[in-house]
Amino acid sequence: MATIFTKIINREIPANIVYENEKVIAFKDINPQAPVHILVVPKKEIPTINDITEEDKELIGEMYLAIGKIAKELGIAEEGYRVITNCNEFGGQEVFHIHFHLLGGKKLGTLV
Ligand code: AMP
């Protein structure tokens, strides 16, 4: 089912887009948890990590390539950053269209 991220991809609702190519879009998180908090989202609607299939292997690689480019563009690549994907209830997933949280701009705390 389409989520709010599909609406952002289709320009039906606004977002602060920092990167886009044929397969991937990235925009600022509306509720940032760090000085840099970007959501990197595949244009293909995949609800959770559990739904990734063999045919998505290349797409997942594209996501990480995009993350590296965005980190460099935003000037956080050398100092470092964190990439997180939440899955389902225990992982704290709220939007069921997979996405990578790219967090940086300060020294981050412990993971959980
Ligand atoms: P998750 O809990 O991993 O599913 O993360 C969903 C993220 O989407 C949260 O960090 C929200 O702040 C963010 N979010 C929800 N709606 C929007 C929106 N319209 N624009 C940007 N970020 C959003």
Side-chain angles (χ1 to χ4, degrees), residues 20-99:
E20 184 170 21
N21 67 23
E22 198 188 316
K23 293 180 181 159
V24 178
I25 192 166
F27 48 88
K28 292 188 180 174
D29 196 293
I30 207 166
N31 181 24
Q33 304 297 309
V36 175
H37 187 170
I38 306 295
L39 299 174
V40 186
V41 183
K43 291 186 176 175
K44 179 178 177 184
E45 289 173 348
I46 302 171
T48 78
I49 293 181
N50 295 333
D51 303 300
I52 293 170
T53 66
E54 289 284 326
E55 77 171 27
D56 301 318
K57 280 194 289 197
E58 196 177 328
L59 177 60
I60 301 305
E62 301 263 3
M63 304 281 292
Y64 273 100
L65 284 171
I67 288 167
K69 284 181 192 162
I70 295 162
K72 281 193 194 92
E73 271 169 27
L74 298 181
I76 61 169
E78 291 308 316
E79 284 180 320
Y81 53 91
R82 185 172 292 160
V83 178
I84 295 174
T85 299
N86 298 322
C87 182
N88 280 341
E89 186 187 352
F90 277 20
Q93 185 173 5
E94 288 172 3
V95 178
F96 287 83
H97 180 147
I98 61 164
H99 49 282

